[in-house]
Amino acid sequence: MRNTYIKTFLFFFILSTSYAQLSVRNSAYVFVTDEVLYVEDDVNLEEADATLYLRDEAQLIQGAGTTGNSGVGELSVYQTGTVHNYAYNYWASPVGNTLSNTTFNRSFFPSLNLHEVTGLITSDPVGLTGSYDGVASPLEIAQYWLWKYSPGTDYSDWDYVGATNNVSPGFGFTMKGSTGSTAQLYDYRGKPNSGSIVTSVLDGQFTLVGNPYPSAVDAVDYIHDATNASSITGTLFFWEQDLTVMSHNLTAYVGGYATYTISSDGMIESFVPAVFNTVNIDGTLNTGGATSTSGKAVRRYIPIAQGFMIEGAADGPVVIRNSHREYYKQSDSNSEFFKTAALTSEDTNSPNAINELEYNEEGFQIVGSEYKRFRLNVDFNQQHTRQLLHNFHASATDGFDYGLESNNSNPNPADAYFMLDETAYITQAHNFDVDLKIPLGVIIDENMSLTVRLFDVQNFDDQPIFLHDIETDIYYNLNELNFDTNLEAGEYKERFEITFKDGNESLSVTEFETSNFTVFQNNTASQLTIKNPDALSIKSVVLYDVAGKRVMQKANLSNNTLYEFPTTNFSDGVYVVNVTLDNKEVLNKKIIVTNK
């Protein structure tokens, strides 16, 4: 490495370059394209017209030894928003103001540090409009939607930034996009942030923070930093809104938080998409809205200017450091500015790859053979879905596993969660045991249908996964059929569990086998017929369609010798009949309904 001093001539970096210190003077500039500029110590952009340009995914990384950047010149780096004028992105500025020459990081001012791109190295400060709608060209940002959150639990804890207030280094802010565009390019210009940046959290409260550097940040290093591991839950929360909603009215908002955490070795990440909900006028959640189908995902390397929420596990500091920074391109497969990005074979073979993870067609990580995992999609009234993720690994404990689990501290009005010691989880982890029983909680705010289905099952081979309805004592093999029922409003903490054994499988089927018990479909009479000549005591008869939806349920049928159930209202097709006796013996029978 070497010291570099640039005074009055133009200097271009084309390849990755490393320096002990970088000073730019007078009207000189440094231009870096598609590569990393590494400076071990400080960057000194001394005069107002001294500039450092990062273009085409170029990034600046500084070493742990920096004592503080100086000067009143500017670094310029781009980032693209992913929402229109009715929705928020969460941001964190990689630069601060240059109103004076100091060696510490400086606050971000929207009016000073956000610019509209006009050329390769030219830009104009953005306009800040009092209108509710931002404009793409000339670029005007709606100042009404600039807010920060540090820390809090209620809607009233948001703090207005607007045109005149500022955001301290390391903290995040909200900003809506511009009219008619979901790909607005912004030029962040100012003093580049560097060094250790401390924010703070309170136990059980959320804080809006983000990546404050002009480079990517490794989520492994940030989440598992020793200081942070004692202060936060280890989960990052990313806001997403339904872009089909074209309204500024709070009660029309439909949105929610995706969750992300990652193991300390970086080998397994746990991302769960957002559940969209509507919002009351006071900012509290209302009934469930549509489920996010955008395909937006979070990856290991957090890109420039990305904002996110963290939750305090105790009162204390949270730090982000230069040692957390990595040169990782946003276009590569393990980084996204919380937007949809198609993965290609070229992505996964990137020369910039650092511990690349692989993803399936749905965008979820393909885990190694030492892990097992499955997801549950829990559908409420066929309107919205809560996805739950369960990880299995030998390192998982019976308690909370930081980096493998994400709690659900604020369940939605209609929600589902794994449970441990009265704590609700969106993502949970265990050491796999075939005798394991995993409580599944459900809360609903009105009578509705409920469907539970398997998704993203990895490394389970032929091992079945059951949903046990404790109330009816029926085990449903989710590998074969979805579970479908109707529930009254309430919270169900002790009714459902996930198991890996059918609790009735060891029971004798002697009564079924030795009796003349018969189940068949009489299509001539349009009736499901059950002959029970030995008068076995029947607890329930349940009929499922081919999609696994429960279409009929009869309970406490006693011991009649003949049962006939009309099927005229059912569509033609294949169905499964589930008959359960009082002694818990179970018979499944496939029938074909053909209405004349």
Side-chain angles (χ1 to χ4, degrees):
M1 296 186 291
R2 50 200 168 100
N3 294 315
T4 294
Y5 168 67
I6 301 173
K7 187 173 182 181
T8 58
F9 55 93
L10 307 185
F11 196 96
F12 288 80
F13 285 121
I14 304 300
L15 300 176
S16 57
T17 311
S18 178
Y19 292 96
Q21 193 173 63
L22 177 65
S23 296
V24 184
R25 298 297 308 274
N26 301 327
S27 59
Y29 68 82
V30 175
F31 188 97
V32 187
T33 178
D34 195 35
E35 289 294 346
V36 59
L37 170 61
Y38 180 80
V39 180
E40 175 61 32
D41 200 343
D42 304 328
V43 173
N44 306 306
L45 305 174
E46 297 297 346
E47 286 78 27
D49 52 0
T51 314
L52 170 56
Y53 299 100
L54 301 178
R55 295 294 183 265
D56 298 324
E57 299 200 87
Q59 298 177 22
L60 167 66
I61 291 180
Q62 293 181 250
T66 179
T67 56
N69 297 332
S70 65
V72 292
E74 295 180 328
L75 175 141
S76 167
V77 63
Y78 294 165
Q79 186 54 278
T80 302
T82 63
V83 294
H84 50 51
N85 56 304
Y86 292 109
Y88 291 109
N89 275 136
Y90 282 9
W91 297 88
S93 178
V95 299
N97 73 80
T98 56
L99 296 175
S100 63
N101 187 354
T102 58
T103 58
F104 52 82
N105 295 313
R106 299 185 62 84
S107 296
F108 161 81
F109 286 86
S111 59
L112 298 177
N113 299 121
L114 279 174
H115 288 63
E116 177 183 10
V117 176
T118 58
L120 183 61
I121 62 173
T122 59
S123 69
D124 294 326
V126 299
L128 290 169
T129 177
S131 168
Y132 288 154
D133 295 301
V135 179
S137 182
L139 181 58
E140 291 187 330
I141 294 171
Q143 58 183 289
Y144 186 82
W145 309 114
L146 296 169
W147 296 78
K148 57 188 177 180
Y149 194 81
S150 168
T153 57
D154 299 322
Y155 182 71
S156 59
D157 292 324
W158 287 95
D159 298 313
Y160 185 56
V161 177
T164 59
N165 294 317
N166 63 75
V167 182
S168 298
F171 288 95
F173 65 95
T174 66
M175 180 169 66
K176 288 191 175 183
S178 54
T179 303
S181 173
T182 56
Q184 180 65 58
L185 183 64
Y186 300 93
D187 182 1
Y188 281 86
R189 289 194 175 220
K191 179 182 177 179
N193 291 323
S194 185
S196 296
I197 299 174
V198 179
T199 55
S200 61
V201 292
L202 297 178
D203 188 9
Q205 298 191 24
F206 288 85
T207 303
L208 178 54
V209 296
N211 175 5
Y213 302 120
S215 67
V217 164
D218 188 346
V220 173
D221 292 339
Y222 177 74
I223 290 173
H224 293 278
D225 184 285
T227 298
N228 300 343
S230 62
S231 298
I232 62 175
T233 63
T235 296
L236 313 182
F237 299 82
F238 294 80
W239 174 255
E240 181 184 1
Q241 278 180 252
D242 184 353
L243 297 186
T244 65
V245 177
M246 302 293 184
S247 175
H248 290 303
N249 291 327
L250 182 63
T251 54
Y253 284 2
V254 179
Y257 288 94
T259 61
Y260 179 89
T261 191
I262 189 168
S263 60
S264 59
D265 61 4
M267 297 309 296
I268 182 165
E269 60 180 11
S270 298
F271 165 70
V272 177
V275 174
F276 284 168
N277 289 274
T278 57
V279 182
N280 295 316
I281 193 65
D282 63 355
T284 58
L285 291 175
N286 195 358
T287 56
T291 301
S292 170
T293 57
S294 67
K296 286 187 175 183
V298 182
R299 298 286 184 253
R300 171 175 176 172
Y301 297 97
I302 304 169
I304 294 170
Q306 176 70 67
F308 50 88
M309 288 279 194
I310 53 176
E311 183 180 12
D315 295 356
V318 177
V319 64
I320 192 164
R321 313 176 193 271
N322 279 352
S323 59
H324 300 165
R325 298 166 72 170
E326 294 282 359
Y327 176 50
Y328 195 91
K329 293 184 179 181
Q330 189 175 316
S331 61
D332 287 335
S333 61
N334 285 185
S335 178
E336 293 187 31
F337 186 84
F338 198 37
K339 64 183 180 182
T340 306
L343 301 182
T344 67
S345 59
E346 181 180 355
D347 290 332
T348 56
N349 292 319
S350 165
N352 300 298
I354 308 172
N355 292 331
E356 291 281 8
L357 304 177
E358 295 185 55
Y359 300 91
N360 57 27
E361 293 180 356
E362 289 80 19
F364 295 119
Q365 182 199 350
I366 301 172
V367 301
S369 59
E370 67 275 22
Y371 289 91
K372 298 179 186 289
R373 80 168 11 169
F374 67 82
R375 298 174 191 264
L376 291 181
N377 283 343
V378 184
D379 305 322
F380 295 88
N381 225 24
Q382 305 301 315
Q383 291 180 342
H384 76 282
T385 301
R386 159 62 76 189
Q387 188 173 105
L388 302 174
L389 171 61
H390 209 295
N391 296 312
F392 297 90
H393 190 258
S395 64
T397 70
D398 292 335
F400 176 68
D401 293 302
Y402 188 90
L404 285 176
E405 298 183 313
S406 298
N407 67 28
N408 185 356
S409 57
N410 294 295
N412 299 322
D415 213 338
Y417 43 84
F418 294 123
M419 292 175 55
L420 175 64
D421 297 330
E422 296 301 314
T423 300
Y425 289 86
I426 296 170
T427 301
Q428 196 176 45
H430 279 98
N431 186 353
F432 181 76
D433 186 330
V434 72
D435 293 319
L436 190 64
K437 295 181 179 181
I438 304 169
L440 175 66
V442 174
I443 183 172
I444 55 176
D445 55 348
E446 60 184 40
N447 299 352
M448 66 176 63
S449 65
L450 181 82
T451 300
V452 182
R453 50 197 172 91
L454 275 179
F455 184 58
D456 187 33
V457 180
Q458 297 190 44
N459 300 328
F460 268 83
D461 300 324
D462 296 326
Q463 171 64 54
I465 300 171
F466 296 95
L467 185 143
H468 179 207
D469 186 338
I470 298 171
E471 182 175 296
T472 63
D473 200 26
I474 297 176
Y475 289 77
Y476 300 87
N477 188 340
L478 296 178
N479 304 82
E480 299 177 354
L481 289 172
N482 299 334
F483 171 74
D484 187 89
T485 191
N486 291 288
L487 292 176
E488 296 180 354
E491 188 164 13
Y492 300 82
K493 291 185 176 182
E494 298 178 352
R495 176 164 175 177
F496 304 111
E497 62 185 4
I498 300 298
T499 69
F500 304 100
K501 282 184 177 179
D502 183 342
N504 297 321
E505 65 183 2
S506 62
L507 296 174
S508 169
V509 294
T510 302
E511 290 198 59
F512 276 130
E513 290 180 347
T514 59
S515 69
N516 294 312
F517 196 92
T518 307
V519 178
F520 66 95
Q521 172 64 19
N522 183 347
N523 281 316
T524 301
S526 296
Q527 290 180 332
L528 168 63
T529 301
I530 297 177
K531 292 184 176 181
N532 183 24
D534 292 343
L536 304 180
S537 185
I538 299 175
K539 182 176 182 179
S540 65
V541 175
V542 184
L543 186 65
Y544 299 92
D545 65 14
V546 69
K549 182 178 180 180
R550 184 184 300 177
V551 297
M552 184 191 80
Q553 181 173 4
K554 305 293 181 180
N556 301 317
L557 296 178
S558 189
N559 53 358
N560 295 345
T561 58
L562 178 66
Y563 302 92
E564 293 176 329
F565 306 107
T567 58
T568 51
N569 293 330
F570 299 148
S571 302
D572 291 357
V574 177
Y575 294 81
V576 175
V577 183
N578 176 285
V579 181
T580 303
L581 301 183
D582 280 349
N583 69 357
K584 300 183 181 181
E585 295 174 17
V586 178
L587 174 69
N588 291 310
K589 174 75 173 183
K590 187 178 293 185
I591 64 170
I592 298 176
V593 173
T594 304
N595 291 307
K596 303 296 184 181

